[in-house]
């Protein structure tokens, strides 16, 4: 579907007339709402694809709403980039990857995920320069975070969950407020040491070297592996065991006595 006009609130219809017949709306076309004046948009459950740059540079966009039964699977690259007024976003259940630069230079402060999210990957520069992003609670299905995904954000803490396997180069570069990174125990990847992108000599490892307040909490049985890892060893003095209480709940760093 495409867009013309200067309306501020838009509810995209679930069906549109085509040659005298009603056809379901399955896709928002690339560039469809680029540089629009929209403030509020509602996307019907039947849409499964949002095209590249669909809302790029829609500087007034404040809310994007999906139903609980949204069948959206793909949000293409740059779809919500440069949306300064967009402060919160909920990713629908069936989206498996946040593509390259999807929310780059957006105004996001918070991002949420469906309680049964299928997300497994965050793309290159997906949230880069979303400088107000402070809170994100990743679903426990994420396997990979690609290069510069959260670079230059305002994140203070992040739980990478039990399934994380790879963190790309500069993924959390220039995140001066980041104090806590948690990697949970995985029964699926027993004693797995998370792989890091970047090179030792080029200074593009995922986390800032000069952030002395940053701590990494990892399963106690993997501590030695992290300390000996060719890339993680650069952070070895900041790696500490993640504790579990008697109810098998994580004891988060804010409740621990250091």
């Amino acid at each position: 579907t495409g867009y013309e006009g200067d309306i501020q609130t838009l509810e995209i219809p679930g069906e549109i007339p085509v040659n005298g017949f009603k056809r379901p709306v399955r896709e928002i076309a690339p560039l469809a709402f680029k540089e629009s004046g929209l403030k509020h948009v509602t996307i019907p459950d039947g849409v499964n694809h949002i095209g590249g740059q669909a809302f790029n540079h829609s500087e007034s966009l404040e809310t994007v709403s999906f139903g609980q039964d949204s069948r959206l699977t793909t949000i293409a690259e740059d779809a919500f980039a440069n949306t300064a007024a967009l402060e919160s976003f909920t990713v629908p259940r069936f989206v498996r990857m946040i593509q390259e630069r999807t929310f780059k230079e957006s105004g996001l402060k918070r991002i949420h995920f469906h309680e049964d999210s299928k997300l497994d990957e965050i793309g290159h520069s997906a949230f880069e320069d979303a400088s107000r992003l402070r809170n994100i609670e990743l679903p426990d299905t994420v396997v990979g975070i690609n290069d510069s995904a959260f670079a230059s954000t305002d994140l203070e803490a992040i739980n990478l969950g039990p399934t994380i396997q790879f963190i790309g180069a500069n993924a959390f570069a220039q995140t001066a407020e980041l104090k806590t990174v948690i990697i949970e125990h995985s029964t699926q990847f027993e004693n797995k040491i998370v792989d890091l992108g970047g090179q030792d000599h080029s200074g593009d490892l995922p986390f800032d070297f000069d952030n002395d307040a940053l701590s990494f909490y990892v399963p106690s049985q993997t501590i030695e592996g992290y300390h000996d890892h060719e890339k993680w060893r650069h952070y070895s003095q900041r790696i500490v065991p993640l504790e579990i209480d008697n109810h098998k709940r994580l004891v988060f760093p804010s409740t621990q006595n250091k």
Side-chain angles (χ1 to χ4, degrees), residues 167-188:
I167 305 171
N170 289 321
F172 294 88
Q174 300 181 55
T175 53
E177 299 302 316
L178 187 61
K179 303 297 188 293
T180 302
V181 174
I182 297 171
I183 297 172
E184 294 185 37
H185 171 71
S186 172
T187 55
Q188 182 179 1

Side-chain angles (χ1 to χ4, degrees), residues 8 14 24 39 51-52 54 109 118 131 138-139 157 165-166 177 192 200 220 229 241 247 257:
Q8 295 183 340
K39 287 189 174 182
K109 294 181 179 179
K118 308 301 182 186
S131 59
L138 295 178
Q165 295 187 56
F166 175 76
E177 299 302 316
K192 167 73 176 178
D200 295 22
S220 57
H229 189 274
H247 301 286
N257 296 320

Side-chain angles (χ1 to χ4, degrees), residues 87-90 107-112 132-136:
E87 295 187 353
S88 181
F89 192 95
T90 299
L108 282 178
K109 294 181 179 179
R110 300 167 299 278
I111 186 157
H112 307 283
R132 295 191 293 170
L133 181 61
R134 180 166 293 185
N135 298 305
I136 183 169

Side-chain angles (χ1 to χ4, degrees), residues 26-225:
R26 300 297 189 201
E27 177 179 349
I28 296 175
L31 310 175
F33 301 97
K34 184 178 181 180
E35 298 179 353
S36 75
L38 287 171
K39 287 189 174 182
H40 310 284
V41 62
T42 300
I43 297 175
D45 288 345
V47 169
N48 55 42
H49 181 86
I50 297 176
Q53 300 189 58
F55 295 89
N56 192 6
H57 280 286
S58 291
E59 299 287 349
S60 300
L61 186 63
E62 297 177 4
T63 64
V64 179
S65 302
F66 300 94
Q68 280 292 312
D69 296 322
S70 173
R71 292 188 287 278
L72 187 71
T73 60
T74 306
I75 305 175
E77 66 278 356
D78 298 285
F80 294 95
N82 303 289
T83 49
L86 185 63
E87 295 187 353
S88 181
F89 192 95
T90 299
V91 179
R93 175 184 181 185
F94 295 109
V95 174
R96 289 196 171 272
M97 179 178 182
I98 297 177
Q99 301 281 348
E100 297 180 5
R101 304 177 304 277
T102 297
F103 296 100
K104 184 175 182 179
E105 295 186 54
S106 68
L108 282 178
K109 294 181 179 179
R110 300 167 299 278
I111 186 157
H112 307 283
F113 298 90
H114 189 280
E115 61 184 7
D116 192 25
S117 174
K118 308 301 182 186
L119 187 75
D120 58 27
E121 187 172 356
I122 297 175
H124 186 288
S125 300
F127 297 95
E128 185 176 7
D129 291 318
S131 59
R132 295 191 293 170
L133 181 61
R134 180 166 293 185
N135 298 305
I136 183 169
E137 186 172 339
L138 295 178
D140 60 4
T141 53
V142 174
V143 173
I145 295 174
N146 287 295
D147 296 0
S148 302
F150 292 98
S152 300
T153 60
D154 209 20
L155 283 175
E156 296 178 340
I158 188 165
N159 185 342
L160 301 178
T163 57
I164 189 71
Q165 295 187 56
F166 175 76
I167 305 171
N170 289 321
F172 294 88
Q174 300 181 55
T175 53
E177 299 302 316
L178 187 61
K179 303 297 188 293
T180 302
V181 174
I182 297 171
I183 297 172
E184 294 185 37
H185 171 71
S186 172
T187 55
Q188 182 179 1
F189 307 107
E190 193 72 29
N191 297 329
K192 167 73 176 178
I193 305 300
V194 177
D195 290 331
L196 299 183
Q199 301 297 324
D200 295 22
H201 61 272
S202 60
D204 62 350
L205 290 177
F207 302 94
D208 295 331
F209 287 131
D210 58 356
N211 185 354
D212 294 332
L214 176 58
S215 294
F216 301 92
Y217 292 82
V218 304
S220 57
Q221 66 270 31
T222 64
I223 283 286
E224 185 175 343

